[in-house]
Amino acid sequence: EENAVSNYKTSLEHLVQQFQNSNPYEMKHKFWETQPVGQFKDLGNSSLPEGPIELPTPLSEVKQEPYNLPSLYEWTTCDMGSDEICNEVYILLTNNYVEDDDNMFRFNYSKEFLQWALRSPGHFGSWHVGVRVKASKKLVAFISGIPVNMRVRDQVLKMAEINFLCVHKKLRSKRLAPVMIKEVTRRIHLENIWQAAFTAGVLLPTPITTAQYWHRTLNPKKLIDVGFSRLSERMTMSRAIKLYKLPNSTTTPGFRKMELRDVPAVTKLLKNYLSRFVVAPEFDDSEVEHWLLPRENVVDSYLVESPVTHEITDLCSFYTLPSSILHSQEYSTLKAAYSFYYVATSTPLLQLMNDALIIAKQKDFDVFNALDVMENESFLKELKFGQGDGQLYYYFYNYRLQNALKPSELGLVLL
Ligand code: MYA
């Protein structure tokens, strides 16, 4: 019965997407073909070594001046600590950032979320890059990076995580994105960092893994009303409501909200757990505090403290990312939770995630989303997640892997 309410994207749209992506070898990527990334023509060429594609150049040889923009535009560094500038980025993204294939929903990252995502430990203000119209000073494009320690097999590399690339709808297809990518790359090189990781919904040369979204309905009526899900033939609304019903309270003894005093224990748990994946970030205490300490309407983290030994044994977390609903009379926002990092050592992962669903339901989320990365496959079907149609491709810049990974080999969740 899990598939009785199916996610909104139809098999036909899936076909169209597959067709567009059907022969990547023949697709021309005028920009990406010039960049140090794994190229489609090299897939399966085992003579190419794993590791950096280009060696670092001396910092004195990194271009000192910004790249040229078309003459009507100018670079700006966006100080995300300023409420006013953060609001400008927020407005740009709210109106122009990622939509689903049918243009029914658009991500609506909150201001608090953007500050959390971009002002992480060790962040560089210069990596929060905007483009303004010279005459009006209107912000029309953005790209950002933050530093992260990324482990690939047994090596830890300082990388940048790139996110929030956005060009105003009216300035699309003018090749602004390649200039922005080159400019953020230059600013990252100036900090002596030569690798990056990012995700995108589009297929580019070449993914380190391809992940799928799964959706756990929490509020069937609203999801159906806004066209996120639809009832299958043999499913009625009242059967759907019953199918997705959750208990009112969590079931695991010792399950509670994470607090500041838990940071060292969580850092240890997470480091140990993430070591089982081929690619995963390495978080120190300050990063665990930043990324996992609960922030209202941004990130929620719960852990299990053994009622007997008071040891911290398990963790689960999710972040809050609403989407604007673009064409509904009745509703303006879809409230979505996204599974973030977790560790299950003494509580079965299935039970831990079920408790996360119960909390998300209590907090009035409409849907709980998860990718098929980490060990998520072990609970998705059983906890009544339905497969979405969206692919999320993970990429490295200037780092080649011998073979693409299975999503289950990836211990990385980007925002
Ligand atoms: S993923 C989210 C991306 N944002 C959106 O989808 C929001 C809505 N869309 C837009 O705002 C625009 O369509 C964007 C493209 C800005 C995406 N990642 O300027 P153009 C290539 C990488 O004419 P536009 C995220 O934020 C495209 O293949 N490349 O196109 C992670 C083509 O190149 P090629 C992309 O539509 C971002 C070229 O751009 C993406 O006006 C990671 C066309 O440029 C994409 N999502 O603008 C960025 N979309 O001809 C890379 C299109 O070769 C970081 N393109 O196919 C790399 C690491 C840098 C740091 C390195 C440090 C060492």
Side-chain angles (χ1 to χ4, degrees):
E1 255 188 332
E2 284 107 60
N3 293 322
V5 174
S6 54
N7 296 100
Y8 64 94
K9 298 191 182 160
T10 63
S11 54
L12 184 68
E13 285 149 354
H14 208 84
L15 270 178
V16 170
Q17 197 182 358
Q18 278 185 354
F19 173 71
Q20 285 171 340
N21 293 342
S22 64
N23 199 344
Y25 299 90
E26 284 174 15
M27 289 177 72
K28 282 278 163 285
H29 290 283
K30 271 215 137 53
F31 170 65
W32 281 109
E33 281 170 7
T34 68
Q35 298 299 300
V37 294
Q39 300 293 334
F40 287 121
K41 66 172 172 42
D42 296 331
L43 282 177
N45 180 349
S46 54
S47 71
L48 296 170
E50 199 160 289
I53 297 169
E54 283 178 0
L55 293 175
T57 57
L59 286 187
S60 57
E61 285 172 28
V62 177
K63 190 168 135 59
Q64 293 298 307
E65 328 73 45
Y67 283 88
N68 288 327
L69 278 172
S71 61
L72 296 178
Y73 306 99
E74 64 189 20
W75 295 113
T76 182
T77 295
C78 295
D79 174 5
M80 296 301 290
S82 144
D83 286 344
E84 197 181 327
I85 288 167
C86 181
N87 192 48
E88 287 183 279
V89 175
Y90 168 77
I91 299 284
L92 173 72
L93 297 180
T94 296
N95 295 322
N96 301 281
Y97 200 50
V98 177
E99 299 180 9
D100 66 294
D101 295 339
D102 305 332
N103 312 104
M104 294 170 72
F105 309 100
R106 190 190 303 127
F107 283 144
N108 186 204
Y109 290 89
S110 69
K111 284 177 254 192
E112 296 71 27
F113 191 111
L114 293 173
Q115 287 179 326
W116 173 62
L118 295 179
R119 292 171 58 77
S120 57
H123 73 272
F124 298 97
S126 60
W127 295 7
H128 303 158
V129 185
V131 173
R132 293 186 189 278
V133 177
K134 271 184 191 162
S136 64
K137 303 293 172 205
K138 184 184 160 85
L139 185 72
V140 290
F142 186 73
I143 189 169
S144 67
I146 53 168
V148 62
N149 291 309
M150 192 76 74
R151 187 180 50 72
V152 182
R153 306 191 201 281
D154 56 6
Q155 290 203 59
V156 181
L157 294 106
K158 183 65 93 180
M159 290 198 190
E161 281 178 6
I162 308 299
N163 205 346
F164 306 115
L165 167 60
C166 183
V167 168
H168 193 287
K169 288 189 178 209
K170 294 201 167 143
L171 298 179
R172 296 277 169 88
S173 307
K174 297 178 186 297
R175 312 299 299 184
L176 212 50
V179 191
M180 300 181 65
I181 293 167
K182 284 193 278 187
E183 179 59 15
V184 80
T185 300
R186 187 185 71 81
R187 295 178 184 208
I188 292 166
H189 285 166
L190 287 172
E191 303 298 340
N192 201 19
I193 294 173
W194 304 88
Q195 271 74 37
F198 59 99
T199 56
V202 292
L203 179 63
L204 303 165
T206 53
I208 59 165
T209 196
T210 303
Q212 305 278 334
Y213 269 111
W214 289 70
H215 310 281
R216 206 306 183 170
T217 297
L218 300 175
N219 184 348
K221 173 150 190 335
K222 179 168 168 186
L223 293 188
I224 290 160
D225 283 353
V226 303
F228 184 88
S229 316
R230 57 197 156 74
L231 286 173
S232 71
E233 268 163 47
R234 43 195 193 80
M235 180 56 68
T236 61
M237 186 68 83
S238 59
R239 286 183 68 203
I241 290 169
K242 193 169 159 210
L243 175 64
Y244 293 115
K245 202 165 172 51
L246 285 161
N248 288 322
S249 50
T250 58
T251 61
T252 308
F255 192 83
R256 63 163 173 85
K257 226 175 160 131
M258 180 184 168
E259 298 172 19
L260 186 58
R261 63 186 163 102
D262 301 315
V263 164
V266 170
T267 305
K268 286 201 194 78
L269 269 185
L270 201 58
K271 186 181 163 83
N272 180 46
Y273 177 70
L274 291 179
S275 73
R276 71 181 67 195
F277 302 105
V278 177
V279 169
E282 284 215 330
F283 292 138
D284 62 17
D285 285 342
S286 72
E287 290 169 310
V288 164
E289 176 179 338
H290 180 85
W291 293 121
L292 291 172
L293 203 62
R295 293 184 184 221
E296 211 182 335
N297 299 320
V298 174
V299 62
D300 282 280
S301 303
Y302 287 80
L303 44 71
V304 181
E305 174 179 338
S306 159
V308 186
T309 64
H310 296 284
E311 242 187 311
I312 311 300
T313 54
D314 313 272
L315 168 89
C316 61
S317 62
F318 56 86
Y319 61 83
T320 298
L321 168 49
S323 278
S324 306
I325 302 171
L326 302 178
H327 307 295
S328 164
Q329 309 288 10
E330 218 178 326
Y331 299 102
S332 62
T333 9
L334 192 69
K335 205 177 165 199
Y338 287 74
S339 183
F340 199 33
Y341 291 100
Y342 57 74
V343 182
T345 69
S346 76
T347 307
L349 182 56
L350 189 92
Q351 180 183 329
L352 196 64
M353 293 309 297
N354 196 51
D355 279 344
L357 293 175
I358 292 167
I359 298 277
K361 177 68 191 171
Q362 283 173 0
K363 293 183 175 251
D364 203 36
F365 286 92
D366 299 315
V367 62
F368 190 103
N369 298 329
L371 292 161
D372 55 359
V373 299
M374 298 195 283
E375 295 186 293
N376 293 1
E377 273 183 334
S378 70
F379 64 76
L380 291 169
K381 286 185 177 155
E382 202 156 349
L383 292 180
K384 301 175 185 168
F385 285 72
Q387 190 167 3
D389 73 329
Q391 240 103 232
L392 187 69
Y393 301 99
Y394 279 76
Y395 300 95
F396 278 159
Y397 181 96
N398 196 23
Y399 201 93
R400 186 189 294 109
L401 287 185
Q402 196 69 256
N403 295 115
L405 306 177
K406 292 177 241 159
S408 59
E409 293 177 304
L410 197 75
L412 175 66
V413 183
L414 299 181
L415 304 174

Coordinates of all heavy atoms in Angstrom, one line a residue, residues 28-32 96-98 143 162-167 171-178 181 184-185 188-189 193-196 198-200 202 204 397, ligand 1:
K28 N 27.1 18.7 -25.4 CA 28.3 19.6 -25.4 C 28.1 20.5 -24.2 O 27.1 21.1 -23.9 CB 28.2 20.5 -26.7 CG 28.8 19.7 -27.9 CD 30.4 19.8 -27.9 CE 30.9 18.7 -28.8 NZ 30.9 17.3 -28.3
H29 N 29.2 20.6 -23.4 CA 29.2 21.4 -22.3 C 30.4 22.4 -22.5 O 31.5 22.2 -22.0 CB 29.4 20.6 -21.0 CG 28.2 19.8 -20.7 ND1 27.1 20.3 -20.1 CD2 27.9 18.5 -20.8 CE1 26.1 19.4 -19.9 NE2 26.6 18.3 -20.4
K30 N 30.1 23.5 -23.2 CA 31.1 24.4 -23.6 C 31.9 24.9 -22.4 O 33.2 25.1 -22.5 CB 30.5 25.6 -24.3 CG 30.4 25.4 -25.8 CD 30.6 26.8 -26.5 CE 31.5 26.6 -27.8 NZ 31.0 25.7 -28.7
F31 N 31.3 25.1 -21.3 CA 32.0 25.5 -20.1 C 32.6 24.3 -19.3 O 33.8 24.3 -19.1 CB 31.1 26.3 -19.1 CG 31.7 26.5 -17.8 CD1 32.8 27.4 -17.6 CD2 31.1 25.9 -16.6 CE1 33.4 27.6 -16.4 CE2 31.7 26.2 -15.4 CZ 32.8 27.0 -15.2
W32 N 31.8 23.4 -19.0 CA 32.3 22.3 -18.2 C 33.4 21.5 -18.8 O 34.2 20.9 -18.1 CB 31.1 21.4 -17.7 CG 30.4 22.1 -16.5 CD1 29.2 22.7 -16.5 CD2 31.0 22.3 -15.2 NE1 28.9 23.2 -15.3 CE2 30.0 23.1 -14.5 CE3 32.2 22.0 -14.6 CZ2 30.2 23.5 -13.2 CZ3 32.4 22.4 -13.3 CH2 31.4 23.1 -12.6
N96 N 13.6 33.3 -7.5 CA 14.4 32.8 -8.6 C 15.1 31.5 -8.4 O 15.8 31.0 -9.4 CB 15.4 33.8 -9.1 CG 14.8 35.2 -9.5 OD1 14.2 35.3 -10.5 ND2 14.8 36.1 -8.5
Y97 N 15.1 30.9 -7.3 CA 15.9 29.7 -7.0 C 15.2 28.4 -7.6 O 14.3 28.5 -8.4 CB 16.2 29.6 -5.5 CG 17.5 28.7 -5.3 CD1 18.6 28.9 -6.0 CD2 17.4 27.7 -4.3 CE1 19.7 28.0 -5.8 CE2 18.5 26.9 -4.0 CZ 19.7 27.1 -4.8 OH 20.7 26.2 -4.5
V98 N 15.6 27.2 -7.1 CA 15.2 26.0 -7.7 C 13.7 25.7 -7.7 O 13.1 25.7 -6.6 CB 16.0 24.8 -7.0 CG1 15.6 23.5 -7.6 CG2 17.5 25.1 -7.1
I143 N 26.2 33.3 -5.7 CA 26.8 32.0 -5.6 C 27.6 32.0 -4.3 O 28.1 33.0 -3.9 CB 27.7 31.6 -6.8 CG1 28.1 30.1 -6.7 CG2 28.9 32.5 -6.9 CD1 28.8 29.6 -7.9
I162 N 29.8 24.3 -2.5 CA 29.2 25.4 -3.3 C 27.7 25.2 -3.3 O 27.2 24.1 -3.5 CB 29.7 25.4 -4.8 CG1 31.2 25.4 -4.8 CG2 29.1 26.5 -5.5 CD1 31.9 26.5 -4.2
N163 N 27.0 26.3 -3.1 CA 25.5 26.2 -3.0 C 24.9 27.5 -3.4 O 25.6 28.5 -3.5 CB 25.1 25.8 -1.6 CG 23.8 25.1 -1.5 OD1 23.0 25.1 -2.5 ND2 23.5 24.5 -0.4
F164 N 23.6 27.5 -3.6 CA 22.8 28.7 -3.8 C 23.3 29.5 -5.1 O 23.2 30.7 -5.1 CB 22.8 29.7 -2.6 CG 22.4 28.9 -1.3 CD1 23.3 28.7 -0.3 CD2 21.1 28.4 -1.2 CE1 22.9 28.0 0.9 CE2 20.7 27.7 0.0 CZ 21.6 27.6 1.0
L165 N 23.7 28.8 -6.1 CA 23.9 29.4 -7.4 C 22.6 29.9 -8.0 O 21.7 29.0 -8.1 CB 24.6 28.5 -8.3 CG 24.7 28.9 -9.8 CD1 25.4 30.2 -10.0 CD2 25.3 27.8 -10.6
C166 N 22.4 31.1 -8.2 CA 21.1 31.6 -8.7 C 21.3 32.8 -9.6 O 22.0 33.8 -9.2 CB 20.2 32.0 -7.5 SG 18.6 32.5 -8.0
V167 N 20.7 32.8 -10.7 CA 20.6 33.9 -11.7 C 19.2 34.3 -11.8 O 18.3 33.5 -12.1 CB 21.3 33.6 -13.0 CG1 21.0 34.6 -14.1 CG2 22.8 33.4 -12.9
L171 N 17.7 37.1 -16.5 CA 19.0 37.1 -17.0 C 19.5 35.7 -17.3 O 20.8 35.5 -17.4 CB 20.0 37.7 -16.0 CG 19.7 39.2 -15.6 CD1 20.6 39.7 -14.6 CD2 19.8 40.1 -16.9
R172 N 18.6 34.8 -17.5 CA 19.0 33.4 -17.8 C 19.6 33.2 -19.2 O 19.3 34.0 -20.1 CB 17.8 32.5 -17.6 CG 17.2 32.4 -16.2 CD 18.0 31.4 -15.3 NE 17.6 31.6 -13.9 CZ 16.6 31.0 -13.4 NH1 15.9 30.1 -14.1 NH2 16.3 31.2 -12.1
S173 N 20.4 32.2 -19.3 CA 21.0 31.7 -20.6 C 21.9 32.8 -21.3 O 22.0 32.8 -22.5 CB 19.8 31.4 -21.6 OG 19.0 30.4 -21.0
K174 N 22.4 33.6 -20.5 CA 23.4 34.6 -21.0 C 24.8 34.3 -20.6 O 25.7 35.1 -20.6 CB 23.0 36.0 -20.4 CG 21.7 36.6 -20.9 CD 21.4 37.9 -20.2 CE 20.0 38.5 -20.5 NZ 19.8 38.7 -22.0
R175 N 25.0 33.1 -20.1 CA 26.4 32.6 -19.7 C 26.9 33.4 -18.5 O 28.2 33.5 -18.4 CB 27.4 32.6 -20.9 CG 26.8 32.0 -22.2 CD 26.5 30.6 -22.1 NE 27.6 29.7 -21.8 CZ 27.5 28.3 -21.7 NH1 26.3 27.8 -22.0 NH2 28.5 27.6 -21.4
L176 N 26.0 33.8 -17.7 CA 26.5 34.5 -16.4 C 27.0 33.4 -15.4 O 28.0 33.6 -14.7 CB 25.3 35.2 -15.8 CG 25.6 36.5 -15.1 CD1 26.5 37.4 -15.9 CD2 24.3 37.2 -14.7
A177 N 26.3 32.2 -15.4 CA 26.7 31.2 -14.4 C 28.2 30.8 -14.5 O 28.9 30.8 -13.5 CB 25.8 30.0 -14.5
P178 N 28.7 30.6 -15.7 CA 30.1 30.2 -15.8 C 31.1 31.3 -15.2 O 32.0 30.9 -14.6 CB 30.4 30.0 -17.3 CG 29.0 29.6 -17.9 CD 28.0 30.4 -17.1
I181 N 30.9 31.0 -11.5 CA 31.6 29.8 -11.0 C 33.1 30.1 -11.0 O 33.8 29.7 -10.1 CB 31.2 28.6 -11.8 CG1 29.7 28.2 -11.6 CG2 32.1 27.4 -11.5 CD1 29.1 27.2 -12.5
V184 N 34.0 32.5 -8.1 CA 34.0 31.9 -6.7 C 35.2 31.0 -6.6 O 35.9 30.9 -5.6 CB 32.6 31.3 -6.3 CG1 32.5 29.9 -6.9 CG2 32.5 31.2 -4.8
T185 N 35.5 30.3 -7.7 CA 36.7 29.4 -7.8 C 38.0 30.2 -7.5 O 38.8 29.8 -6.7 CB 36.8 28.7 -9.1 OG1 35.6 28.0 -9.4 CG2 38.0 27.8 -9.2
I188 N 38.2 31.1 -3.9 CA 38.5 29.9 -3.1 C 40.0 29.6 -3.2 O 40.7 29.3 -2.3 CB 37.6 28.7 -3.5 CG1 36.2 29.1 -3.1 CG2 38.1 27.4 -2.9 CD1 35.1 28.2 -3.7
H189 N 40.5 29.7 -4.5 CA 41.9 29.4 -4.7 C 42.8 30.4 -3.9 O 43.8 30.0 -3.3 CB 42.3 29.6 -6.2 CG 41.8 28.5 -7.0 ND1 41.8 28.5 -8.4 CD2 41.4 27.2 -6.7 CE1 41.4 27.4 -8.9 NE2 41.1 26.5 -7.9
I193 N 42.6 26.7 -1.4 CA 41.8 25.5 -1.4 C 41.5 25.2 -2.9 O 41.2 26.1 -3.7 CB 40.5 25.8 -0.6 CG1 40.9 25.9 0.9 CG2 39.5 24.6 -0.8 CD1 39.8 26.3 1.8
W194 N 41.6 23.9 -3.3 CA 41.6 23.5 -4.7 C 40.6 22.5 -5.1 O 40.6 22.0 -6.2 CB 43.1 23.0 -5.0 CG 44.1 24.1 -4.6 CD1 44.6 24.3 -3.4 CD2 44.5 25.2 -5.4 NE1 45.4 25.4 -3.4 CE2 45.4 26.0 -4.7 CE3 44.3 25.6 -6.8 CZ2 46.0 27.2 -5.2 CZ3 44.9 26.7 -7.3 CH2 45.7 27.5 -6.5
Q195 N 39.8 22.1 -4.1 CA 38.7 21.1 -4.4 C 37.4 21.6 -4.0 O 37.3 22.5 -3.0 CB 39.0 19.8 -3.7 CG 39.8 18.8 -4.5 CD 41.3 19.2 -4.5 OE1 41.8 19.7 -3.6 NE2 41.9 18.9 -5.7
A196 N 36.3 21.2 -4.6 CA 35.0 21.5 -4.1 C 34.0 20.4 -4.3 O 34.2 19.5 -5.1 CB 34.5 22.8 -4.9
F198 N 29.6 19.8 -4.7 CA 28.3 20.4 -4.8 C 27.3 19.4 -5.3 O 27.7 18.3 -5.8 CB 28.4 21.6 -5.8 CG 28.9 21.3 -7.2 CD1 28.0 21.2 -8.2 CD2 30.2 21.2 -7.5 CE1 28.4 20.9 -9.5 CE2 30.7 21.0 -8.8 CZ 29.8 20.8 -9.8
T199 N 26.0 19.8 -5.2 CA 25.0 18.9 -5.8 C 24.2 19.8 -6.7 O 24.1 21.0 -6.6 CB 24.0 18.4 -4.7 OG1 23.5 19.5 -4.0 CG2 24.7 17.4 -3.7
A200 N 23.5 19.1 -7.7 CA 22.6 19.8 -8.6 C 21.6 18.8 -9.1 O 21.8 17.6 -9.1 CB 23.4 20.4 -9.8
V202 N 20.7 18.9 -12.2 CA 21.0 18.7 -13.6 C 22.2 17.8 -13.8 O 23.1 17.8 -12.9 CB 21.2 20.0 -14.3 CG1 19.9 20.8 -14.4 CG2 22.3 20.9 -13.7
L204 N 25.7 16.9 -15.2 CA 26.8 17.6 -15.7 C 28.0 16.6 -15.7 O 27.8 15.5 -15.1 CB 27.2 18.8 -14.8 CG 26.1 19.8 -14.5 CD1 26.5 20.7 -13.3 CD2 25.9 20.7 -15.8
Y397 N 34.7 19.0 -7.7 CA 35.5 19.8 -8.6 C 36.9 19.6 -8.3 O 37.4 19.6 -7.2 CB 35.1 21.3 -8.4 CG 35.8 22.3 -9.3 CD1 35.2 22.8 -10.4 CD2 37.1 22.7 -9.0 CE1 35.9 23.7 -11.2 CE2 37.8 23.6 -9.8 CZ 37.1 24.1 -10.9 OH 37.8 25.0 -11.7
Ligands
MYA1 S1 22.6 23.8 -7.7 C1 21.3 25.0 -7.8 C2 21.4 25.8 -9.0 N1 20.4 26.8 -9.1 C3 19.2 26.7 -9.7 O1 18.9 25.7 -10.3 C4 18.3 27.9 -9.5 C5 17.5 28.2 -10.8 N2 18.4 28.3 -11.9 C6 19.2 29.4 -12.1 O2 19.3 30.3 -11.3 C7 20.1 29.3 -13.4 O3 19.5 28.4 -14.3 C8 21.5 28.8 -13.1 C9 22.3 28.7 -14.4 C10 22.3 29.9 -12.3 C11 21.6 27.5 -12.4 N3 25.5 23.8 -11.6 O4 24.4 31.3 -17.2 P1 24.0 30.2 -18.1 C12 25.8 25.3 -16.4 C13 26.6 23.9 -12.4 O5 23.8 30.5 -19.5 P2 21.6 30.0 -16.6 C14 23.9 24.8 -6.9 O6 23.7 25.8 -6.4 C15 25.3 24.8 -17.7 O7 25.5 23.4 -17.8 N4 26.5 24.3 -13.6 O8 22.8 29.4 -17.5 C16 25.3 24.2 -6.9 C17 26.0 25.6 -18.8 O9 27.4 25.1 -18.9 P3 27.8 24.1 -20.1 C18 25.3 24.7 -14.1 O10 20.5 29.0 -16.7 C19 26.1 25.0 -8.0 C20 26.1 26.9 -18.1 O11 25.9 26.7 -16.7 C21 24.2 24.5 -13.4 O12 21.3 31.4 -16.9 C22 27.4 24.5 -8.3 C23 25.0 27.8 -18.6 O13 25.2 29.1 -18.0 C24 24.3 24.1 -12.0 N5 23.2 23.9 -11.2 O14 22.2 29.9 -15.1 C25 28.2 25.3 -9.3 N6 23.1 24.9 -14.1 O15 27.6 24.8 -21.3 C26 29.5 24.7 -9.7 C27 23.6 25.3 -15.3 O16 29.2 23.7 -19.8 C28 30.6 24.9 -8.6 N7 24.9 25.1 -15.3 O17 26.8 22.9 -20.0 C29 31.9 24.3 -9.1 C30 33.0 24.4 -8.0 C31 33.5 25.8 -7.9 C32 34.5 26.0 -6.7 C33 35.9 25.3 -7.0 C34 36.8 25.6 -5.9 C35 38.1 24.9 -6.0

